Amino acid sequence: MRVVLVGPPGAGKGTQAQFIASHLSIPKISTGDIFRANVSGGTELGKLAKEYMDRGDLVPDEVTVAMVRDRLSHDDAQEGFLLDGFPRNVPQAEVLKKMLAEFGTSLDVVLNLVVDDDEVVRRLAGRRTCRSCGKVWHVLFDPPAVEGVCDACGGELFQRDDDREETIRHRLEVYQEQTAPLISFYADEGIVQGVDATGPVEEVTQRAMAALRRFAE
Ligand code: ADP
Ligand code: ADP
C-alpha cells in the first residue's frame, strides 16, 4: 500500500506513522527525520536544510524532491511505503504523482490527521525527541519513565529547535498556506480519508487503520 500522512505540525504524524507502517509492514519515510539526520551528521544537505528548518520554512522543493526520489528508489519501498511530511505543498504532490507514474504506480490513500490549533501547540510545546533513535515523547502525554531519557534505547531526549513558540506559530501559517491545499488536491483524486487525531494514541491508530481498511476493500 502507498500511503501519505498529512496534518499540521504536531498532529501526531510521526507517532502514528511508526505504528501504521509496522501494521502494514511497509517502510515509514519521514522527510523531517531524514533532514534531521543530515543536520546531526553535518552533511552538505543538512547544512542547507537547517537554515530553513530553524525558521520553520519549507526546505526548497528541488532539494526535498531529489531526496525523496532517491529514498523511493530503494528496494524496501517497491511494494509500498508510508510518507510522513511529504508532500508538503501542491508542487511536491505533482512531482510525486509523476515520479510514481514513472514507476508504473500511484498513491492509494492520503490520511489527513485532524486536530485543532490549541492541541497542536500543547503537543509541540511538550514534544521531546530521542537523539539516538528518533523516537518521539511528550513530557505530559507520553512521558518516558526517567525524565530526559528514551525508554526505547536509553538515548538522550532533546527539544527540537523549531518547537519554540514563535517558530511553532510560523510553521502553522506555513501549513495553512502551503500544505492545507493538498487536501483538496487529493480530494479531487478521491483518495483522502480524514482521521480524528484527538484522544489517546492507540485510539487514533485504530481509527487510521479502520480508514485504511475501508480503502483497501
Ligand atoms: P512536523 O512533523 O513538526 O511538521 P517535520 O519533522 O515533518 O515537522 O519537518 C520539520 C521541518 O523539516 C519542516 O518545518 C521543514 O523545514 C522541513 N521539511 C520536512 N519535510 C519537508 C518537505 N516535504 N518539504 C520541505 N521541507 C520539509
Ligand atoms: P508530527 O509528526 O505530526 O509533528 P508527532 O508525532 O511528533 O507529530 O507528535 C507531536 C507531539 O504530540 C509528540 O510529543 C507526541 O508524543 C504527542 N502526541 C502524539 N499523538 C498524541 C495523542 N494522540 N495525544 C497526545 N499527545 C500526542
Side-chain angles (χ1 to χ4, degrees):
M1 209 171 195
R2 293 174 179 82
V3 185
V4 161
L5 264 187
V6 292
K13 298 182 297 296
T15 303
Q16 293 303 326
Q18 59 187 354
F19 295 118
I20 299 169
S22 111
H23 279 306
L24 296 177
S25 305
I26 51 178
K28 154 184 138 110
I29 301 177
S30 160
T31 42
D33 286 353
I34 304 175
F35 282 135
R36 278 185 291 280
N38 276 277
V39 171
S40 345
T43 67
E44 286 305 312
L45 174 65
K47 283 180 202 149
L48 189 150
K50 186 173 177 1
E51 192 190 315
Y52 295 90
M53 295 169 82
D54 283 349
R55 287 202 301 267
D57 284 326
L58 297 185
V59 178
D61 286 350
E62 60 274 23
V63 175
T64 308
V65 162
M67 184 176 89
V68 171
R69 184 184 287 278
D70 173 69
R71 180 62 187 87
L72 289 181
S73 70
H74 292 192
D75 283 350
D76 68 341
Q78 300 318 301
E79 297 304 316
F81 50 77
L82 177 62
L83 280 169
D84 157 24
F86 183 93
R88 208 58 162 236
N89 57 26
V90 172
Q92 290 182 5
E94 279 165 348
V95 176
L96 177 63
K97 192 174 173 173
K98 277 200 207 119
M99 216 187 281
L100 294 177
E102 282 166 27
F103 298 145
T105 130
S106 60
L107 288 178
D108 296 299
V109 55
V110 173
L111 290 180
N112 177 28
L113 298 186
V114 182
V115 284
D116 64 33
D117 279 5
D118 288 346
E119 180 64 12
V120 155
V121 172
R122 276 195 289 275
R123 289 187 184 180
L124 290 180
R127 171 158 67 185
R128 297 292 182 272
T129 307
C130 176
R131 223 178 263 294
S132 307
C133 72
K135 189 170 166 24
V136 171
W137 300 89
H138 192 283
V139 291
L140 300 175
F141 307 144
D142 187 15
V146 179
E147 193 187 323
V149 181
C150 179
D151 276 359
C153 78
E156 178 206 0
L157 302 187
F158 74 104
Q159 180 166 28
R160 278 169 46 176
D161 286 341
D162 58 348
D163 280 347
R164 281 172 292 123
E165 202 183 323
E166 57 296 358
T167 321
I168 291 175
R169 234 175 285 126
H170 181 61
R171 283 158 65 211
L172 285 173
E173 286 164 10
V174 169
Y175 173 78
Q176 284 306 335
E177 281 164 24
Q178 304 194 42
T179 310
L182 282 180
I183 311 300
S184 45
F185 176 91
Y186 285 125
D188 288 347
E189 302 200 343
I191 56 172
V192 178
Q193 281 281 305
V195 176
D196 172 4
T198 56
V201 169
E202 309 75 55
E203 284 181 20
V204 179
T205 308
Q206 279 167 14
R207 284 183 214 126
M209 292 307 297
L212 288 172
R213 275 192 290 273
R214 279 200 293 281
F215 250 76
E217 279 161 7

